[in-house]
């Protein structure tokens, strides 16, 4: 483990706890966890180590949230895994292209899309309030595999921030799920993409396993608490958190684009 102070370790663990809760409810925990690692690790630590450790922490919390949701929410695990495998392929393609492409030009476009999504959610209070009657059709599932899986997976590999939130929105719209079930399904999809990224970072030796294991305990606790909170409070609560995370994501990307 790198030579960092006890105070910094405690703060990183608190950040992991909060990120786990946010990510379990509606996605977007990486907005807190990754910057915390980038700031907390000693100067000179390669950025890849922060990215790799972030994935090692996040996959534990995501898996814990997925299990918690699956026990009580009506999740179609088979469909979620199929979308997850497509997302894994998409993220690999996005990561491959990211090396030779500037993602800065895409951030303003993403911000506009997010603001449009926020306006849609605000103007449509019934969005994600209740699931559609009956199971999803084959066409809806194929659309989810293509758009939520390949499309958002590609975005995850290319840029990344807000992937969990995009998944919740896409799954709600495409499969006509309520927001709680969409959050649960998104966790399973995220497990697939995180596993692929973690394997790559581990192969490159870019994971701080001791620090990651400690933070993962707190991330898991936050994730399981967040899943239980979402299940207890329902889609109305998830909707409020969703809008908060969307606006935070826009602010973060705007800061990186024009200030940072």
């Amino acid at each position: 483990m790198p030579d960092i102070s006890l105070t910094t370790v405690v703060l990183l663990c608190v950040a992991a706890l909060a990120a786990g809760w946010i990510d379990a409810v509606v996605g977007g925990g990486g907005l807190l966890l990754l910057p915390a690692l980038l700031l907390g690790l000693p100067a000179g630590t390669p950025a890849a180590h922060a990215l790799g450790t972030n994935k090692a922490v996040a996959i534990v919390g995501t898996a814990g949230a997925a299990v918690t949701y699956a026990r009580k929410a009506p999740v179609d695990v088979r469909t979620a895994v199929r979308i997850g495998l497509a997302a894994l392929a998409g993220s690999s393609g996005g990561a491959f292209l990211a090396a030779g492409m500037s993602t800065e030009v895409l951030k303003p476009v993403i911000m506009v899309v997010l603001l449009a999504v926020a306006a849609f959610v605000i103007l449509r209070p019934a969005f994600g309030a209740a699931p559609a009657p009956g199971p999803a059709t084959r066409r809806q599932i194929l659309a989810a595999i293509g758009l939520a899986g390949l499309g958002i997976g590609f975005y995850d590999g290319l840029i990344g921030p807000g992937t969990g939130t995009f998944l919740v929105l896409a799954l709600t719209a495409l499969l006509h799920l309520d927001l709680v079930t969409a959050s649960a399904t998104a966790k399973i999809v995220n497990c697939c993409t995180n596993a692929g990224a973690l394997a790559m970072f581990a192969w490159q030796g870019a994971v701080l396993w001791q620090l990651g294991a400690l933070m993962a305990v707190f991330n898991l606790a936050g994730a399981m608490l967040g899943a239980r909170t979402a299940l207890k409070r329902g889609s109305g609560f998830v909707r409020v958190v969703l809008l908060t995370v969307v606006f935070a994501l826009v602010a973060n990307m705007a800061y990186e684009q024009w200030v940072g």
Side-chain angles (χ1 to χ4, degrees):
M1 194 162 83
D3 184 19
I4 56 180
S5 68
L6 179 60
T7 301
T8 300
V9 171
V10 171
L11 290 174
L12 286 173
C13 288
V14 171
L17 180 73
W21 188 91
I22 294 169
D23 204 55
V25 175
V26 76
L31 292 173
L32 176 60
L33 187 57
L34 183 56
L37 280 165
L38 290 169
L39 289 171
L41 292 177
T45 302
H49 285 68
L51 293 167
T53 305
N54 172 61
K55 288 298 182 185
V57 174
I59 194 171
V60 174
T62 301
V67 171
T68 302
Y69 273 123
R71 288 175 175 172
K72 296 185 178 180
V75 182
D76 185 341
V77 176
R78 182 169 178 268
T79 297
V81 170
R82 289 164 69 186
I83 297 171
L85 292 175
L88 177 59
S91 65
S92 299
F96 178 78
L97 291 179
M101 179 179 180
S102 173
T103 60
E104 296 303 312
V105 296
L106 297 177
K107 287 185 178 180
V109 177
I110 300 300
M111 283 186 276
V112 171
V113 172
L114 281 170
L115 289 173
V117 165
F120 175 82
V121 174
I122 291 171
L123 295 173
R124 295 284 298 274
F127 178 74
T137 65
R138 184 172 181 271
R139 180 176 295 180
Q140 289 173 326
I141 293 174
L142 288 175
I145 291 173
L147 295 177
L150 286 172
I152 296 178
F154 181 83
Y155 168 81
D156 190 23
L158 188 66
I159 302 177
T163 296
T165 305
F166 277 128
L167 279 172
V168 171
L169 290 166
L171 292 170
T172 301
L174 294 170
L175 298 180
H176 296 175
L177 303 175
D178 63 88
L179 286 170
V180 172
T181 305
S183 292
T185 306
K187 297 290 99 47
I188 297 174
V189 177
N190 267 345
C191 281
C192 295
T193 56
N194 283 342
L198 178 59
M200 179 60 68
F201 283 120
W203 180 71
Q204 294 173 342
V207 181
L208 303 173
W209 292 108
Q210 289 179 300
L211 178 62
L214 180 60
M215 293 175 65
V217 173
F218 287 85
N219 190 254
L220 176 61
M224 295 180 71
L225 177 62
R228 291 192 179 100
T229 303
L231 288 166
K232 182 178 179 180
R233 300 288 295 274
S235 293
F237 172 76
V238 175
R239 184 172 178 271
V240 173
V241 178
L242 172 64
L243 288 171
T244 302
V245 171
V246 165
F247 286 122
L249 179 58
V250 170
N252 177 72
M253 295 181 79
Y255 179 85
E256 290 182 350
Q257 180 75 13
W258 292 299
V259 181

